[in-house]
Amino acid sequence: MSTYQSPDPSLLLSCLDPLSGHPHPSPLPFAAPWHYELHFPHDPRGPGVVRVALRAVLRVHGLGEFIDRAEVLTCELATNSVRHTEGPASVRMQWLHPVLRVSVYDTCPDLPLAPGTGPAATAPHAEAGRGLLILDALADRWGGCAIGPGPWGDEGGKSIWFELRLGEPEPTPSALAA
């Protein structure tokens, strides 16, 4: 005959939310879909906040292999949103196993020039104009679209996104130099 033994109360307390006293939900399985979205004002500190949030989200979800590439690409897009627009921006991170998609939205509807065009194509030592070349070299897929005015009078804007696929080999240094 077995008798019931109540669990050690100290173990139960560690599983409870300190504010509500209710049990924490179980973590999502690795392949379960999720998304996070971060809105930030037109402020040069925004991309740094995005960088910290992105690293934290990827680390806690077990996607550490994406951190370096996702950080470079997300910071490039978020910095461009602050540098080339006047309004707020947002970053959305979405996991649909085995793909991480990061989208950066801002309020300027003008899409950037395609890689290899514009001033960067003619000035090899230019200090700007290489963002999409970096995107093209590091992302497994990327794209963007203009977004027209919304039904509530918002001005629209654009979204530039990239995807990183789990298990894809990282680009070689020779591919980045090209």
Side-chain angles (χ1 to χ4, degrees):
M1 176 174 169
S2 65
T3 59
Y4 173 77
Q5 282 189 317
S6 62
D8 180 359
S10 64
L11 294 175
L12 287 176
L13 290 177
S14 65
C15 298
L16 299 178
D17 181 285
L19 297 176
S20 69
H22 298 292
H24 286 288
S26 298
L28 292 172
F30 180 76
W34 52 258
H35 78 269
Y36 292 82
E37 195 161 343
L38 176 65
H39 301 267
F40 59 97
H42 184 259
D43 184 311
R45 296 171 288 196
V49 172
V50 168
R51 179 184 309 115
V52 170
L54 174 98
R55 290 182 74 83
V57 166
L58 295 180
R59 187 169 286 118
V60 300
H61 281 283
L63 296 170
E65 75 179 69
F66 288 146
I67 289 175
D68 292 336
R69 288 193 298 157
E71 183 178 14
V72 168
L73 295 171
T74 304
C75 287
E76 178 67 31
L77 295 176
T79 299
N80 285 346
S81 290
V82 170
R83 184 175 289 157
H84 300 293
T85 68
E86 295 298 321
S90 64
V91 173
R92 180 183 169 114
M93 298 166 265
Q94 181 177 12
W95 173 247
L96 291 171
H97 186 270
V99 175
L100 173 70
R101 177 180 272 212
V102 178
S103 305
V104 178
Y105 167 83
D106 63 47
T107 57
C108 178
D110 300 330
L111 293 171
L113 295 173
T117 62
T122 58
H125 300 294
E127 293 183 18
R130 290 189 176 78
L132 293 182
L133 290 172
I134 295 169
L135 195 61
D136 203 37
L138 294 179
D140 295 322
R141 277 186 47 190
W142 68 274
C145 63
I147 301 168
W152 296 281
D154 50 336
E155 59 194 64
K158 71 174 166 299
S159 178
I160 307 291
W161 57 267
F162 67 86
E163 290 180 351
L164 302 176
R165 181 173 287 277
L166 191 64
E168 289 288 315
E170 290 196 27
T172 62
S174 61
L176 295 176

